[in-house]
Amino acid sequence: MAETTETTAPEVTLDEIVALCKRRGFIFPSSEIYGGIGSTYDYGHYGVLLRNNVKNEWWRAMIGERDDIVALDSAILQHPRVWEASGHLEGFTDPMVDCRTCGLRFRADKLEDAQCGRKPSKHPGEFSECDLTEAREFNLMFETHVGPVKDTGSITYLRPETAQGIFVNFKNVLQFARKKPPFGIAQIGKSFRNEITTGNFVFRTREFEQMEMEYFVPPDEAPKWHEYWMDERMRWYTELGIRPDKVTLRAHGAEELSHYSTATSDIEYLFPMGWSELEGIANRGDFDLTQHARMSDEKLEYFDQDKGEAYIPYVIEPAAGVDRAMLAFMVDAYDTEEVEGRKRTLLRLHPRLAPVKAAVLPLVSKDGMPERAREIYADVRAHVPAEYDEGGSIGKRYRRQDEIGTPWGITVDGETMEDGTVTLRDRDSLEQERVPAEGPGERLAAKLAKPWRTPKLG
Amino acid sequence: MAETTETTAPEVTLDEIVALCKRRGFIFPSSEIYGGIGSTYDYGHYGVLLRNNVKNEWWRAMIGERDDIVALDSAILQHPRVWEASGHLEGFTDPMVDCRTCGLRFRADKLEDAQCGRKPSKHPGEFSECDLTEAREFNLMFETHVGPVKDTGSITYLRPETAQGIFVNFKNVLQFARKKPPFGIAQIGKSFRNEITTGNFVFRTREFEQMEMEYFVPPDEAPKWHEYWMDERMRWYTELGIRPDKVTLRAHGAEELSHYSTATSDIEYLFPMGWSELEGIANRGDFDLTQHARMSDEKLEYFDQDKGEAYIPYVIEPAAGVDRAMLAFMVDAYDTEEVEGRKRTLLRLHPRLAPVKAAVLPLVSKDGMPERAREIYADVRAHVPAEYDEGGSIGKRYRRQDEIGTPWGITVDGETMEDGTVTLRDRDSLEQERVPAEGPGERLAAKLAKPWRTPKLG
């Protein structure tokens, strides 16, 4: 067993995360060979696997384990009236000013960092020699045109949130899914916001993926379900390994609330740049269904047969971001320590989130070890996502797996050839135990299996 | 066992598929309450589950079972120079003419169906009283602007294919993934084409999802790998249940080839509207890497250490569509037959594709059957996606499950309460056998498991 001499465990910086993501191929700047395109990222191999695991765990918690939520996948291109009804066309804006000297455009509420492009002042935010226009509202939705004619009639928008695709399908889902409140509609998909201020790596990007669930409830039960979903979502993060002291619930003050919300709480995580929103859990009331009913002339209500009356359900919305959740899981899992005089960096990811579950490694590339390791690898990968690696020193190969968060290493060594056992190395404790070389795949799959959980309702 | 009196098995029409999709909540027109938005669709519960299964099977064949392919998820918004290099900016166009009388725009090569909006002729395609402009090329990429300023410098496009996101990341992947040709990069994601002519339900839509894999090979091995991927992809469809006589490979003639391709074969499926492309398998040569290397001044080549020389790999590309594949699987699985004097409609979907694997049904809602059925349901859903249904007659519930393609029905009846067995009903044969009520979940999971397959290479 390796000896851990010192745990340095510094709080990680965003730069360290960015460096690891690049070094191990989790995340690259998009269109990098052309100099990139502002705040847009491409996910490499391990990044995709990690993202998929995050999405799968959310999906399992929303759809797999529950009978009261159905799935939806609505289009990114929707009818422009959707955004009129939702309030995005009018209200989803930032105030902008133009500099008459240099032509650049700045956020009116962030002028303290702005500089004229032609006559920069020593002090950002000073525009003494320049002339700024009055602030105008700039809509954050990306605009495009459908069909061959570019006129006002063909304008449409890339959706700025997945939620509205759920509301406009409320009637369809009621008809076919035979559900009654409380019931939910869950969706994972990309959204787009033409943000003026992006940054903090994948925390705020113009193209991002959401995991949103709209839970329709009788109006008088809304506060109870709001509480319920705050608990459920907090539990989801901590069960997947987020340290409880790094995550918190913060209720919005009255002045912070969105136009559609009667109450919102954010799940915040202690990112390297400070406490920041990981997920919003809002009580949207009947705002959205009422708006769409008015705009479309459709009845978007539920008829309660027991009470003999129709009502518009209230909506509780846990809205999470895939990219943000992935970043939080990586930040939380990042650690460095000194082992036998050498520093190692590792991601202590929950095994269900880890991109690769097991690495199969021959100690050296001779004496029949690679051949035996390949046999064992064939067994392991039939059960769990695995890698085989025979290049370089064993220490270097372990370090590589530590950095991508692989929880288990299986090493074939001299003893394997004699007694039919392999070393099973634990990423976190560095403990190494001898286990039979036969059937490790099935044993690892059993370690990964999540005990079935039936969510308590009400 | 039920008796099948007659199999009518008509070829299905697209209208019948559309009707089933609406009736059972697979697919809805997008923004339907606002009158829809041309040729865009939202996927309902079973549609999402079926789509996810299609994607998972592709992912498993590309990533899960192989060591020579890595994953990527590149952004939809990319640098505009990507589309300059790829040829899309110049060449991805349809010729259009404007009618000077009514202002409408028509495809110049499809005028035979066109009509002036103000002075329609009796014969479509006749524009005797109208005046058409010269044909101009209309680009099929959706255009938008990034950032607050709308000028030529901020123009970007929604990607019309996922492939280019792979090519521009070639160098990144080479660096971190430690692969050498032959190796591949696989990606699933949405693409957008502002098609003038859409239609045939989800066959051709403006927003669609692609499953593309770019396989980089030494140039002299390209023809061999082209053959290899044609075989692999044909096998994928037929192993997932597509009838071999409904699917065929058709090589493009010289006049059909895209500008980037040295050889392309389409996998075509016999859709209700005739033989149509399901997937294209192209030998793209070194076109894309050469173009991006030229435009970006990056070296996009592989240095072969054994031969001591660098070369630009050739690319073999199997490019499939999620929506199209899903449509083919549904069309192929659709069947109607008369059973005991009543017509039933069913989807004979491969169990791994079926949205729901098992339905647990109490025969009647009394005598303790619902309670026992719920216990069994709890066991089943812990192992496979399942539904519990106790409403309405047992026949009606079976028909519902047949239409969504559920392969197995587990019915709790009077005998269950006496001898601890349940009925296991087979969707396709309608055979019913008595099996123990204990542990059906594990047995169904075993039926679903796919034998591990290690792809043969070279």
Side-chain angles (χ1 to χ4, degrees):
Chain A
M1 182 186 154
E3 201 183 329
T4 304
T5 52
E6 198 193 340
T7 300
T8 53
E11 293 300 312
V12 62
T13 66
L14 209 50
D15 284 347
E16 286 171 305
I17 294 288
V18 172
L20 174 68
C21 283
K22 172 90 192 185
R23 185 164 76 245
R24 294 304 179 190
F26 282 82
I27 305 178
F28 310 117
S30 183
S31 307
E32 196 175 13
I33 62 172
Y34 293 112
I37 173 169
S39 246
T40 308
Y41 294 89
D42 294 347
Y43 289 84
H45 185 66
Y46 299 123
V48 177
L49 299 186
L50 176 53
R51 272 172 75 88
N52 284 353
N53 292 343
V54 170
K55 289 192 267 185
N56 286 342
E57 289 297 325
W58 188 87
W59 196 251
R60 179 187 166 112
M62 291 293 172
I63 302 285
E65 291 182 342
R66 305 183 69 103
D67 287 331
D68 57 345
I69 301 181
V70 296
L72 187 79
D73 187 359
S74 65
I76 289 169
L77 300 175
Q78 294 172 36
H79 198 289
R81 296 200 78 192
V82 172
W83 310 113
E84 210 177 316
S86 71
H88 282 86
L89 206 51
E90 199 178 334
F92 193 55
T93 56
D94 276 342
M96 304 294 293
V97 294
D98 290 348
C99 173
R100 291 208 174 95
T101 303
C102 70
L104 288 179
R105 190 167 282 181
F106 305 106
R107 255 181 82 160
D109 55 346
K110 297 271 167 95
L111 277 180
E112 59 274 18
D113 304 322
Q115 286 272 23
C116 171
R118 284 220 200 124
K119 298 182 180 176
S121 152
K122 278 180 189 166
H123 306 286
E126 279 184 14
F127 283 84
S128 51
E129 304 199 35
C130 309
D131 188 9
L132 297 178
T133 62
E134 289 287 295
R136 277 177 305 186
E137 293 301 321
F138 167 74
N139 199 292
L140 298 183
M141 290 195 291
F142 283 100
E143 193 178 297
T144 191
H145 293 267
V146 171
V149 183
K150 271 192 204 171
D151 60 19
T152 51
S154 67
I155 288 182
T156 189
Y157 305 92
L158 308 193
R159 66 175 175 205
E161 63 176 29
T162 57
Q164 298 301 324
I166 293 178
F167 298 127
V168 298
N169 276 295
F170 173 76
K171 203 180 161 186
N172 275 330
V173 173
L174 258 197
Q175 265 173 7
F176 88 84
R178 308 178 307 163
K179 298 286 180 206
K180 60 181 187 182
F183 80 96
I185 306 177
Q187 172 164 233
I188 298 178
K190 287 221 169 157
S191 294
F192 299 81
R193 296 179 186 179
N194 198 358
E195 302 273 4
I196 309 305
T197 313
T198 55
N200 289 321
F201 199 31
V202 297
F203 181 80
R204 190 183 306 280
T205 53
R206 296 198 169 103
E207 174 178 342
F208 58 103
E209 193 156 17
Q210 295 187 294
M211 306 184 284
E212 294 196 309
M213 194 275 290
E214 311 298 324
Y215 201 69
F216 300 90
V217 304
D220 58 342
E221 296 181 12
K224 178 183 83 173
W225 288 111
H226 195 202
E227 289 291 328
Y228 172 86
W229 281 108
M230 288 191 263
D231 291 348
E232 282 290 298
R233 296 304 302 147
M234 283 290 276
R235 187 188 51 74
W236 186 81
Y237 287 105
T238 52
E239 275 192 10
L240 286 170
I242 295 279
R243 289 165 289 174
D245 59 324
K246 301 289 181 189
V247 68
T248 190
L249 263 170
R250 190 182 65 77
H252 281 206
E255 73 295 349
E256 260 183 292
L257 286 177
S258 306
H259 60 285
Y260 54 75
S261 174
T262 32
T264 297
S265 286
D266 285 345
I267 297 181
E268 293 191 338
Y269 178 76
L270 186 51
F271 284 97
M273 62 281 190
W275 289 98
S276 309
E277 182 192 343
L278 190 52
E279 171 163 349
I281 300 165
N283 176 353
R284 299 181 73 118
D286 60 4
F287 176 82
D288 304 278
L289 290 181
T290 302
Q291 284 290 101
H292 286 298
R294 187 182 302 157
M295 288 284 291
S296 69
D297 271 335
E298 296 274 354
K299 275 195 179 170
L300 303 181
E301 53 190 31
Y302 173 73
F303 185 79
D304 186 329
Q305 299 221 311
D306 298 337
K307 293 189 179 166
E309 60 182 30
Y311 67 86
I312 300 175
Y314 273 33
V315 174
I316 307 301
E317 172 194 82
V322 178
D323 314 86
R324 225 168 247 208
M326 173 181 168
L327 183 61
F329 285 123
M330 289 190 85
V331 164
D332 208 77
Y334 190 97
D335 199 5
T336 56
E337 58 180 17
E338 225 172 282
V339 180
E340 293 170 350
R342 302 191 64 158
K343 181 182 155 190
R344 75 164 181 147
T345 302
L346 72 161
L347 291 184
R348 300 186 189 273
L349 288 170
H350 189 291
R352 286 207 310 280
L353 294 180
V356 175
K357 313 304 181 187
V360 181
L361 317 165
L363 184 64
V364 290
S365 284
K366 58 180 185 181
D367 302 335
M369 290 180 205
E371 294 74 15
R372 185 74 189 97
R374 282 198 173 274
E375 288 168 14
I376 293 166
Y377 173 59
D379 172 77
V380 172
R381 75 201 294 271
H383 292 88
V384 300
E387 274 191 5
Y388 172 84
D389 189 4
E390 68 172 67
S393 77
I394 190 74
K396 201 174 160 191
R397 282 177 280 158
Y398 280 150
R399 281 199 297 283
R400 184 171 177 278
Q401 295 297 334
D402 285 343
E403 286 202 0
I404 63 169
T406 307
W408 299 295
I410 294 172
T411 308
V412 171
D413 54 19
E415 266 181 82
T416 310
M417 313 309 284
E418 288 164 20
D419 67 1
T421 64
V422 291
T423 295
L424 182 65
R425 174 187 184 266
D426 183 277
R427 173 199 66 201
D428 295 335
S429 68
L430 290 178
E431 274 183 51
Q432 302 202 0
E433 52 171 333
R434 304 291 310 180
V435 299
E438 299 300 323
E442 207 161 332
R443 288 197 303 276
L444 292 181
K447 275 182 194 250
L448 270 175
K450 179 173 186 280
W452 187 260
R453 178 175 178 278
T454 304
K456 283 196 181 52
L457 295 182
Chain B
M1 181 188 155
E3 200 182 330
T4 304
T5 52
E6 197 194 339
T7 302
T8 53
E11 293 301 314
V12 62
T13 66
L14 209 50
D15 285 346
E16 286 171 306
I17 294 289
V18 172
L20 174 68
C21 283
K22 172 89 191 184
R23 187 163 74 244
R24 294 305 179 191
F26 282 82
I27 305 178
F28 310 116
S30 182
S31 307
E32 196 176 10
I33 63 172
Y34 293 111
I37 174 170
S39 248
T40 308
Y41 294 90
D42 294 348
Y43 288 85
H45 185 66
Y46 299 123
V48 177
L49 300 185
L50 175 53
R51 272 171 75 88
N52 284 354
N53 292 343
V54 170
K55 289 193 266 187
N56 286 342
E57 289 297 325
W58 188 87
W59 195 251
R60 178 187 167 111
M62 291 293 172
I63 302 286
E65 292 183 341
R66 307 183 67 104
D67 287 330
D68 57 346
I69 302 181
V70 296
L72 187 79
D73 187 359
S74 66
I76 288 169
L77 299 175
Q78 294 173 34
H79 197 287
R81 295 199 79 193
V82 172
W83 310 113
E84 210 177 317
S86 70
H88 283 86
L89 207 50
E90 199 179 330
F92 192 55
T93 55
D94 278 341
M96 304 293 294
V97 293
D98 289 349
C99 172
R100 291 206 174 96
T101 303
C102 69
L104 289 178
R105 191 166 281 181
F106 305 105
R107 257 182 81 161
D109 55 346
K110 296 271 167 93
L111 277 181
E112 60 274 17
D113 305 321
Q115 288 270 25
C116 170
R118 284 221 198 123
K119 297 181 179 177
S121 151
K122 280 181 190 166
H123 305 287
E126 281 184 14
F127 283 83
S128 50
E129 304 198 37
C130 309
D131 188 10
L132 297 178
T133 61
E134 288 287 295
R136 278 178 306 189
E137 293 300 321
F138 168 74
N139 199 294
L140 299 183
M141 289 195 291
F142 283 99
E143 195 178 297
T144 191
H145 293 266
V146 171
V149 183
K150 271 191 203 170
D151 61 17
T152 52
S154 67
I155 287 183
T156 189
Y157 304 91
L158 308 193
R159 67 176 174 205
E161 62 176 32
T162 57
Q164 298 302 325
I166 293 178
F167 298 127
V168 298
N169 276 295
F170 173 77
K171 202 180 162 186
N172 275 331
V173 173
L174 257 197
Q175 264 172 7
F176 88 85
R178 308 177 306 163
K179 298 288 180 202
K180 60 181 187 181
F183 79 97
I185 306 177
Q187 171 164 233
I188 298 178
K190 286 220 172 162
S191 293
F192 299 81
R193 296 180 185 178
N194 198 358
E195 302 274 3
I196 310 304
T197 314
T198 55
N200 289 321
F201 198 32
V202 297
F203 181 80
R204 189 183 307 279
T205 53
R206 294 197 170 105
E207 174 177 342
F208 57 103
E209 193 155 18
Q210 294 188 294
M211 306 184 284
E212 293 196 308
M213 195 276 289
E214 312 298 323
Y215 202 69
F216 300 90
V217 303
D220 60 342
E221 295 181 14
K224 178 183 83 173
W225 288 110
H226 195 201
E227 289 290 327
Y228 171 87
W229 281 108
M230 287 191 261
D231 291 348
E232 282 290 299
R233 295 305 302 148
M234 283 289 276
R235 188 187 51 73
W236 187 82
Y237 288 105
T238 52
E239 275 192 9
L240 285 171
I242 295 280
R243 289 165 289 173
D245 59 325
K246 302 290 182 189
V247 68
T248 190
L249 264 170
R250 190 183 65 76
H252 282 204
E255 75 293 351
E256 262 181 292
L257 285 177
S258 308
H259 60 284
Y260 55 75
S261 174
T262 32
T264 297
S265 286
D266 285 345
I267 298 182
E268 294 190 338
Y269 177 75
L270 187 50
F271 284 98
M273 62 281 189
W275 288 98
S276 309
E277 182 191 343
L278 189 53
E279 171 162 349
I281 301 165
N283 177 352
R284 299 181 72 118
D286 60 5
F287 177 82
D288 304 279
L289 290 181
T290 302
Q291 285 289 103
H292 286 297
R294 186 183 304 158
M295 288 285 290
S296 68
D297 271 334
E298 295 275 355
K299 275 195 178 169
L300 303 181
E301 54 190 30
Y302 173 73
F303 185 78
D304 186 328
Q305 300 221 312
D306 297 338
K307 293 189 178 165
E309 62 183 29
Y311 66 86
I312 300 176
Y314 272 35
V315 174
I316 308 300
E317 172 194 82
V322 178
D323 314 86
R324 226 168 247 206
M326 173 182 168
L327 184 61
F329 285 123
M330 289 190 84
V331 164
D332 208 77
Y334 189 97
D335 200 4
T336 56
E337 59 180 17
E338 223 172 283
V339 180
E340 294 169 350
R342 302 191 65 157
K343 182 182 154 191
R344 75 165 181 146
T345 301
L346 71 161
L347 291 184
R348 299 185 189 274
L349 287 170
H350 190 290
R352 286 207 310 281
L353 294 180
V356 175
K357 313 305 181 187
V360 181
L361 317 164
L363 184 63
V364 290
S365 284
K366 57 180 184 181
D367 301 335
M369 291 181 204
E371 293 73 15
R372 185 74 190 98
R374 281 199 175 274
E375 287 169 15
I376 294 167
Y377 173 60
D379 172 76
V380 172
R381 77 201 292 271
H383 292 88
V384 300
E387 275 191 4
Y388 172 84
D389 188 4
E390 68 172 67
S393 78
I394 188 75
K396 199 174 161 191
R397 280 177 280 158
Y398 279 150
R399 281 199 297 283
R400 184 171 176 277
Q401 295 296 334
D402 285 344
E403 286 202 0
I404 65 170
T406 307
W408 299 296
I410 293 172
T411 308
V412 171
D413 54 19
E415 266 181 80
T416 309
M417 312 309 284
E418 288 164 21
D419 68 0
T421 64
V422 290
T423 294
L424 182 65
R425 173 187 184 265
D426 182 275
R427 174 199 64 201
D428 295 336
S429 68
L430 290 178
E431 273 183 52
Q432 303 201 358
E433 51 171 333
R434 305 289 313 180
V435 300
E438 299 302 323
E442 207 162 330
R443 289 197 303 276
L444 292 181
K447 274 183 194 249
L448 271 175
K450 180 172 184 281
W452 187 259
R453 179 176 177 278
T454 305
K456 284 196 180 52
L457 294 183

